[in-house]
Amino acid sequence: MAKVTIDGIEIEVPDGTTILNAARMIGGKIVPPAMCYYTKLKQTGGYCRTCLVKVVQGSTKDPRPMPKLVVSCSTTVQDGMVVQNITSPEVLEARKGVVEFLLINHPLDCPICDQAGECKLQDLGYDHGLQKTRYEFKRRTFEMKDIGSKIKLHMTRCILCYRCVRVAEQLTDKRVHGVMNRGDVAEISTYIHNIIENDFSGNVIDVCPVGALTDKTFRFRSRVWYTKPMDAHRDCKKCCGKVVLWMKGDEVLRVSARKDKNEEVEEFICNECRFEKKKKEDWVIEKPTHIDRHSVISANHYEVEKPLKLGVGSQPPKPLDTSKE
């Protein structure tokens, strides 16, 4: 076990834990943002650079600070390490610069993007972004592509986080898409316009942090904050069958995998559950999905955990005295 201090809060974590996951164990605002790292995937992280932190003390044995900011998603803690995240002006300034780079080519089409309300880049832009860009050149643009019967690729929005590539490598038998070309012309694509067709291809939609990969069956049907997300399950031979139904009345508009407190998929689901089971009768509905209060999706979203009861010693309201009227 190793003791690490992050923004003045000390925690003891197992050896080999990264700074990012140690911060997640503490929780709250000190958790660095992560656009490319994904706990369920192997060899992930280190691309987006949004999780940069400052190590002001390497360890108890070697208290020297690290000379540069480090990515918290791939840097393991050492016993006695002291880390600064939101308490470091240097980190906040660097993160502001990273967000500016991510937004250089990203179109500001949030009003028509299906990812609006669930987009991590929106949150980053709000917390660290500038009101205007200093970039004077033309943004790069790509034509939208169908990379399967159910998946739409809008490469103009992509930030090259590699999550969808890692999902395809680790969940499917044969990956047919990846990063083509280099530099400012690099793009997620398939070779000679192959299509992605396998039982778990829809998971690339859930892991995409922006609106680059979207569900064609849900595109432009509704804003997520107008829907009612419900936890549901069914007996499925291919996957766990545990999903979130995004409903409007009794109509199921979208099916997605359940996500944890870090907004990462808990268990990946198959395409049959995601695309083919769009009737309420196909599912056993459990309860309303828990939505963090910082999200716009929580608007008009209610969860009843326990019925209200009068506490011990409390008194019911007294009736109005109308005798003096």
Side-chain angles (χ1 to χ4, degrees), residues 33 35 99 103 110 115-129 209-210 263 292 294-296:
M35 298 291 287
V99 173
L103 290 173
C110 303
Q115 193 77 3
E118 303 172 289
C119 181
K120 291 289 93 184
L121 193 55
Q122 274 187 323
D123 296 339
L124 274 177
Y126 182 80
D127 291 336
H128 305 283
V210 294
E263 299 189 30
D292 192 271
H294 90 281
S295 172
V296 69

Side-chain angles (χ1 to χ4, degrees), residues 164-180:
C164 63
V165 179
R166 298 290 178 234
V167 165
E169 284 179 341
Q170 297 170 35
L171 289 186
T172 62
D173 296 331
K174 187 178 181 181
R175 176 168 64 89
V176 297
H177 83 289
V179 179
M180 306 294 181

